[in-house]
Amino acid sequence: MSKFSRLGNDLYSGRKSVDFVGKTRIWYAVSGLIIIAAVLGLYFRGLNFGLEFRGGAQFTVSVPTSEVTQANADKLRDDVSATGIASAQQVVVTTAGKNSIIVETEPVTPTESNQIEVAIEKSVGVTHGDISTDEIGPSWGKEVAKRSAIGLVVFLVLVVFLIWGYFRQWKMSVAAMVALAHDLVITVGIYALSGFEVTPATVTGVLTILGFSLYDTVVVFDKVRENTKNLRASRMTYPEAANLAVNQTLVRSINTSIVALIPVGAILYVGAVQLGSGDLKDLSLALFVGMAAGAYSSIFIATPLLAHMKSSEAANAELEKRIRTRRAHDVDRYAQVPSYADDLPIAADPDVVPPSDARAEPAARPTGGNRPQPSSDATGRGRVVPQSRGPVRPSSSSGRVQPTRQAKSKRGKK
């Protein structure tokens, strides 16, 4: 644990760093493959909408624990389909918990419901009191879907304005929304591939993961804003400052995600393995997949995308060019020294007097040549040459005897 703490300190101080922003192509490729798999699952398998959305009848059969087997479930499916009822041809039979088997059909009439109950009694040898029937109309499911869609749209609009108003940067809102769409597509695709039913509990889980994903993204963005507040003083480019922010919040994101995923994973195991089908299983699967995808997107998608958009701005691009030039100069200080070529003009040595006429005035320093000429202005150390107010004229006191300083012993004596 101490090594993990030291790693967190090194990441926060910058002594160690993982290049999340610089390897955007790798992260985008990984996310692209996952999204393609999710879209293919949606296209070929589709979502398995629960009874609450499509409507129908549900028969819950109470049997001893020893009879809750897949063999009895298959037998019930065949016997219910053999009734010849059109609504019972696409019957779904699943085990639920330790003493229940659930039979789901399309909407049926009261007479057809009685026929199905008789078929169930003969199939597994139960009485009429061991069967409970629930009928759900499709209108209720449509109302749930409609209200869920309205809630999702309102949530997204409010989040966009909240992030925009808090960070004062619309590009952060765009990056956060892209990461959020990434999480939603992956979660829905996993549901399609797993075959889990989409129930109102699933909708609740999906709306919950939206908040979790944005929470993690906003924390990282807040650190990005802190690091990029004064880039010129820090002498870092925007992608470097954003990458430092991800590294500084990496340990916190990992710890938060693990702490949140452990109990959700336990609920998923209990709901899917111990209890069978149910709202608990649908809710926990949406939460588990969404939380994992949200932790991934806040680190590997949102921040690299934000850094890519911000680095294209003129001010950040100019700063990045200046910093790279300065770093190249620091590595090799003589890299910018001009090279001399054969076609440069030849100038005489300014410190040598021509030998032809020794009595002549010293030659003036040449203005051309390879040697830089000193400026006539006094420069350096903050000195500025004052401007002259006019030519120097003879003073009226130039002919007078000027006082001189005498010794103390001769002062006052004539």
Side-chain angles (χ1 to χ4, degrees):
M1 196 66 182
S2 60
K3 293 183 178 180
F4 192 72
S5 300
R6 287 197 297 270
L7 176 61
N9 292 331
D10 293 342
L11 291 174
Y12 192 89
S13 60
R15 288 191 293 268
K16 292 184 179 180
S17 178
V18 182
D19 192 8
F20 294 104
V21 176
K23 299 180 179 179
T24 53
R25 293 184 179 180
I26 298 177
W27 318 134
Y28 292 167
V30 172
S31 297
L33 292 176
I34 298 175
I35 291 176
I36 289 174
V39 172
L40 291 178
L42 284 171
Y43 180 77
F44 289 104
R45 299 196 60 175
L47 292 174
N48 181 20
F49 288 99
L51 198 67
E52 295 85 355
F53 289 99
R54 68 176 187 269
Q58 176 176 296
F59 303 88
T60 304
V61 185
S62 300
V63 295
T65 304
S66 58
E67 297 185 11
V68 182
T69 61
Q70 187 61 38
N72 283 336
D74 295 338
K75 185 180 179 181
L76 275 172
R77 183 183 299 105
D78 296 336
D79 293 341
V80 172
S81 299
T83 57
I85 301 174
S87 301
Q89 298 305 309
Q90 301 295 330
V91 62
V92 178
V93 182
T94 57
T95 58
K98 296 182 179 179
N99 57 357
S100 298
I101 300 177
I102 297 178
V103 180
E104 296 179 355
T105 66
E106 300 293 331
V108 295
T109 62
T111 303
E112 293 173 341
S113 177
N114 293 332
Q115 294 178 5
I116 293 174
E117 290 181 3
V118 172
I120 293 174
E121 294 173 6
K122 294 179 179 179
S123 178
V124 293
V126 296
T127 62
H128 183 74
D130 296 328
I131 303 174
S132 62
T133 305
D134 296 320
E135 294 185 3
I136 301 175
S139 59
W140 188 82
K142 292 180 180 179
E143 186 66 21
V144 171
K146 178 181 178 181
R147 293 184 180 274
S148 301
I150 295 175
L152 178 61
V153 172
V154 172
F155 174 82
L156 294 178
V157 172
L158 292 178
V159 164
V160 168
F161 283 104
L162 177 63
I163 296 178
W164 192 355
Y166 180 69
F167 293 106
R168 304 297 176 86
Q169 297 182 19
W170 64 268
K171 292 183 179 180
M172 285 191 173
S173 297
V174 173
M177 290 301 102
V178 171
L180 191 60
H182 168 273
D183 301 339
L184 287 176
V185 172
I186 291 179
T187 303
V188 175
I190 293 297
Y191 252 91
L193 293 173
S194 64
F196 279 30
E197 286 189 349
V198 179
T199 63
T202 305
V203 178
T204 304
V206 169
L207 294 177
T208 303
I209 66 172
L210 297 180
F212 184 88
S213 175
L214 286 173
Y215 166 76
D216 208 22
T217 302
V218 168
V219 170
V220 179
F221 280 2
D222 191 61
K223 196 63 181 177
V224 172
R225 182 182 64 171
E226 180 181 343
N227 291 350
T228 58
K229 185 178 299 184
N230 192 1
L231 282 177
R232 295 183 181 274
S234 62
R235 294 189 176 183
M236 289 190 300
T237 63
Y238 196 98
E240 291 173 347
N243 190 73
L244 177 61
V246 178
N247 282 272
Q248 289 174 335
T249 58
L250 180 62
V251 175
R252 188 212 66 85
S253 299
I254 293 176
N255 291 336
T256 303
S257 301
I258 291 177
V259 170
L261 288 174
I262 287 176
V264 174
I267 296 174
L268 178 60
Y269 173 78
V270 172
V273 179
Q274 300 294 329
L275 300 179
S277 62
D279 295 340
L280 194 62
K281 177 189 67 175
D282 304 330
L283 175 64
S284 58
L285 179 63
L287 289 177
F288 189 87
V289 176
M291 287 180 178
Y296 173 84
S297 64
S298 62
I299 298 174
F300 297 95
I301 301 299
T303 308
L305 179 61
L306 173 65
H308 177 73
M309 291 190 297
K310 293 291 291 184
S311 61
S312 61
E313 295 180 357
N316 292 330
E318 181 181 356
L319 177 62
E320 183 175 355
K321 182 179 179 181
R322 186 182 302 113
I323 290 175
R324 288 181 178 178
T325 304
R326 185 186 297 119
R327 289 175 181 174
H329 180 266
D330 293 340
V331 172
D332 185 5
R333 293 182 177 274
Y334 298 98
Q336 303 299 326
V337 175
S339 60
Y340 291 88
D342 296 336
D343 57 347
L344 290 177
I346 300 175
D349 191 342
D351 297 327
V352 177
V353 177
S356 59
D357 188 3
R359 295 173 299 176
E361 293 292 334
R365 294 181 180 269
T367 58
N370 303 333
R371 185 171 180 175
Q373 301 301 320
S375 175
S376 60
D377 297 333
T379 58
R381 299 184 181 179
R383 295 178 295 180
V384 179
V385 178
Q387 297 180 356
S388 60
R389 298 182 178 180
V392 179
R393 299 182 178 87
S395 175
S396 59
S397 61
S398 59
R400 301 177 184 176
V401 178
Q402 300 299 319
T404 58
R405 185 177 179 84
Q406 298 180 352
K408 187 176 181 180
S409 59
K410 295 183 179 181
R411 294 176 186 175
K413 297 181 180 180
K414 296 183 180 179

